[in-house]
C-alpha cells in the first residue's frame, strides 16, 4: 500500500508531533 | 494516576498550541508551531487533520486528548 509508508502515515506524523512536544517540554531549561 | 498524568500532559500541550487561550486550536494556530517544532507545515496540517476527528476545523481539548491518548497507546515512550 503506497499510503502506508513509515513516517508518512497519520500515526507516524502524530507520533512525531507529540514526541516533539515532549522533548520541547523536557529539553529546554 | 497514569490517566491523570496523561490528562495533565495533554492539557499542557494544548496550552502550547492554543496560544491565545481560546479554548480550541484553529488550523492557523497549528501553523504557528512551525519553527517551534521540527515539523513541516505539511506535517502540521496532517497532525491537525488527524486530530480533528469531526473535521469542523477546530481542535477541542477533548479531541486533542483523544489523539494524545491514542499516541500513548500506540507508541512506546522511551
Amino acid at each position: 500500500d503506497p499510503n502506508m509508508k513509515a513516517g508518512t502515515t497519520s500515526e507516524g506524523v502524530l507520533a512525531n508531533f507529540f514526541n516533539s512536544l515532549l522533548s520541547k517540554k523536557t529539553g529546554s531549561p | 494516576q497514569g490517566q491523570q498524568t496523561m490528562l495533565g500532559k495533554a492539557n499542557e500541550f494544548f496550552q502550547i498550541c492554543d496560544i491565545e487561550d481560546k479554548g480550541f486550536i484553529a488550523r492557523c494556530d497549528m501553523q504557528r508551531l512551525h519553527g517551534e517544532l521540527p515539523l513541516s507545515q505539511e506535517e502540521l496540517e496532517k497532525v491537525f487533520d488527524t486530530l480533528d476527528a469531526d473535521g469542523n476545523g477546530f481542535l477541542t481539548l477533548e479531541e486533542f486528548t483523544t489523539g494524545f491518548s491514542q499516541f500513548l497507546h500506540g507508541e512506546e515512550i522511551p
Side-chain angles (χ1 to χ4, degrees), chain B:
Chain B
Q1 198 189 340
Q3 183 82 358
Q4 282 300 315
T5 310
M6 189 280 282
L7 287 174
K9 278 279 167 212
N11 205 38
E12 218 174 284
F13 294 161
F14 187 82
Q15 305 288 319
I16 294 175
C17 303
D18 182 15
I19 299 160
E20 290 157 355
D21 201 20
K22 298 186 292 297
F24 60 86
I25 302 168
R27 193 173 288 270
C28 58
D29 293 324
M30 200 60 129
Q31 285 165 349
R32 268 187 251 174
L33 290 172
H34 181 58
E36 289 206 45
L37 299 177
L39 276 86
S40 67
Q41 294 279 11
E42 199 180 57
E43 285 169 327
L44 287 167
E45 288 245 347
K46 195 161 186 175
V47 170
F48 188 89
D49 288 336
T50 306
L51 291 175
D52 185 18
D54 58 9
N56 66 353
F58 299 106
L59 272 188
T60 60
L61 177 60
E62 197 184 347
E63 284 171 327
F64 192 86
T65 306
T66 304
F68 186 54
S69 168
Q70 280 170 357
F71 156 72
L72 288 180
H73 292 122
E75 292 276 330
E76 300 254 345
I77 296 188

Side-chain angles (χ1 to χ4, degrees), chain A residues 2-15:
Chain A
N3 295 320
M4 291 297 283
K5 277 181 278 181
T8 59
T9 60
S10 302
E11 276 177 28
V13 174
L14 211 57

Side-chain angles (χ1 to χ4, degrees), chain A:
Chain A
D1 187 346
N3 295 320
M4 291 297 283
K5 277 181 278 181
T8 59
T9 60
S10 302
E11 276 177 28
V13 174
L14 211 57
N16 223 343
F17 172 68
F18 283 119
N19 276 323
S20 303
L21 282 172
L22 282 168
S23 52
K24 182 180 164 66
K25 288 307 282 184
T26 56
S28 53

